[in-house]
Amino acid sequence: MRRLQVPAAGETTAVLMATAAGINHRLFRRKLRAARLAWHGVNDRWTVRLGSTEHRDMERVLAALESN
């Protein structure tokens, strides 16, 4: 069983972002992988600092999901 990863203060995760938006977190992560973000490596966690460029990239992908 996988342990729940709690982000540090000032960070967020794909699961937290998707849950807050009412989007399935697995679908969100699939779309993030499909976006092929240069900063994210294979099997890396989707944990980013709030307000960072990476966070804005994730918000952009999430916004595209919300608009569909």
Side-chain angles (χ1 to χ4, degrees):
M1 184 188 315
R2 191 173 243 186
R3 287 194 353 227
L4 179 64
Q5 191 90 27
V6 178
E11 290 183 337
T12 191
T13 68
V15 172
L16 291 174
M17 290 174 68
T19 301
I23 301 287
N24 180 289
H25 65 89
R26 289 183 174 143
L27 173 62
F28 181 41
R29 289 195 317 258
R30 188 168 46 242
K31 295 295 183 178
L32 286 168
R33 286 189 298 273
R36 297 182 181 256
L37 302 170
W39 53 266
H40 189 267
V42 176
N43 294 326
D44 284 350
R45 295 190 185 277
W46 290 102
T47 302
V48 295
R49 176 126 338 256
L50 293 170
S52 66
T53 302
E54 293 86 356
H55 183 224
R56 287 190 294 277
D57 286 343
M58 289 174 67
E59 288 179 317
R60 187 182 76 253
V61 173
L62 186 60
L65 271 174
E66 290 176 316
S67 68
N68 287 332

